[in-house]
Amino acid sequence: MEVPHILFTTRVLLPFQTDLHLDRLAKEVMKALAEVGGRAESFLQSSHYGRKIDRVAFVLSSTWYSSGTHFLSFDYKKSFTVTPRFVDKMLMQAEEGIVRDSRQPQKEKYIQGPVLIEKKLLNVALNGYSTTQPFNKQANRIDLSLYVAFASSKLSQELVDFTDTWFRGSHISLHSHGLAVYTAVRDYYTAEGNYLLLDINGELSEVSLVLNNVLLESISFPIGTHTIARTIAAKRGGSYQEALSLM
């Protein structure tokens, strides 16, 4: 597989909101994406690469998705042979229940009408021992660690529409920032198996616990650089920019 190279990069800052409204923030995100799409299109037309965009991957920050790691255990009196078909069947059954539970009302995030955007089998343990090659082995017990992430159906459709507008015909995929960072850190720091991941953005922060190389748990709270700046500006009577300069 060819190693990807960065040909173009750009950034669009979102306007600061004195009073946070997620619906307004979502609209600002889509406006920023439209600007990014225009810049990318201009680059492709003006460069000598002449390449078509085949795939568009969106990595959502913790404000826009809900995630969790589910631990599945199966015990049998007699040993059995672990096969891909067996594992797929167990994961499919678990996924149905997880998706059903995700349809409960969501209060803290912009994920109403959630759709599954990502699922990843993080770990397999046979008889209590983790293994990267579980198939065609005998076991009495199998433990699976399954990570799933959901985003709102509205946001997902808006990202599909964006892709159709600027990169028609491209394959689209949605990903969670938590899993992306965990995967990068896990693969780079191979000697480390237990650590915390901290993601601080403008409106919300997320802390993830990794134990024995498995993304065990993630929690988020509505405090970020913007919320701290709002507090400083309100108490000092200054502007948002002045508050940021003190951080």
Side-chain angles (χ1 to χ4, degrees):
M1 186 176 184
E2 183 181 354
V3 177
H5 298 279
I6 298 176
L7 303 178
F8 171 79
T9 182
T10 188
R11 171 181 291 188
V12 177
L13 297 178
L14 299 178
F16 172 72
Q17 294 186 38
T18 304
D19 298 310
L20 176 63
H21 296 281
L22 282 179
D23 288 336
R24 188 196 309 165
L25 181 60
K27 292 179 181 178
E28 294 294 344
V29 168
M30 298 312 300
K31 286 173 58 178
L33 276 177
E35 186 170 344
V36 168
R39 294 179 185 179
E41 184 180 52
S42 297
F43 167 78
L44 291 173
Q45 292 176 350
S46 62
S47 69
H48 63 277
Y49 295 105
R51 296 180 179 178
K52 176 182 177 296
I53 300 297
D54 297 318
R55 179 184 178 188
V56 178
F58 295 94
V59 181
L60 307 181
S61 69
S62 52
T63 304
W64 308 108
Y65 72 88
S66 176
S67 66
T69 302
H70 299 262
F71 301 94
L72 317 171
S73 297
F74 305 93
D75 275 301
Y76 299 89
K77 293 182 178 180
K78 295 183 179 180
S79 62
F80 63 96
T81 301
V82 180
T83 64
R85 181 179 179 182
F86 172 85
V87 173
D88 288 342
K89 182 180 179 180
M90 296 299 101
L91 292 177
M92 185 177 299
Q93 292 176 353
E95 182 183 327
E96 291 174 355
I98 294 170
V99 171
R100 186 167 54 249
D101 292 341
S102 74
R103 294 171 183 155
Q104 299 298 320
Q106 304 288 335
K107 298 180 180 180
E108 71 278 12
K109 291 188 177 182
Y110 189 76
I111 52 171
Q112 301 300 322
V115 293
L116 182 67
I117 62 169
E118 198 165 42
K119 59 180 179 180
K120 178 73 172 179
L121 183 60
L122 301 180
N123 187 63
V124 179
L126 302 181
N127 296 335
Y129 295 93
S130 296
T131 176
T132 58
Q133 298 178 329
F135 300 131
N136 299 318
K137 294 182 179 179
Q138 296 288 313
N140 294 85
R141 176 188 174 94
I142 181 171
D143 297 286
L144 308 175
S145 301
L146 176 65
Y147 173 93
V148 295
F150 297 87
S152 79
S153 55
K154 179 182 178 182
L155 177 62
S156 300
Q157 186 58 53
E158 288 176 342
L159 295 178
V160 169
D161 294 341
F162 163 82
T163 304
D164 287 341
T165 299
W166 294 101
F167 310 107
R168 181 174 294 275
S170 301
H171 172 73
I172 178 176
S173 60
L174 274 63
H175 306 273
S176 60
H177 182 265
L179 183 62
V181 172
Y182 156 74
T183 302
V185 172
R186 179 200 62 188
D187 293 347
Y188 189 81
Y189 296 100
T190 55
E192 302 294 334
N194 306 303
Y195 45 88
L196 288 174
L197 297 173
L198 179 60
D199 170 32
I200 302 175
N201 61 45
E203 305 295 349
L204 186 143
S205 298
E206 185 173 46
V207 179
S208 299
L209 171 64
V210 178
L211 186 62
N212 296 326
N213 286 313
V214 175
L215 183 58
L216 194 65
E217 186 69 55
S218 295
I219 60 171
S220 59
F221 46 93
I223 297 177
T225 55
H226 288 182
T227 54
I228 296 174
R230 288 189 191 97
T231 301
I232 295 175
K235 290 187 175 183
R236 293 177 58 92
S239 67
Y240 167 69
Q241 287 74 19
E242 291 173 340
L244 274 183
S245 68
L246 298 175
M247 298 172 60

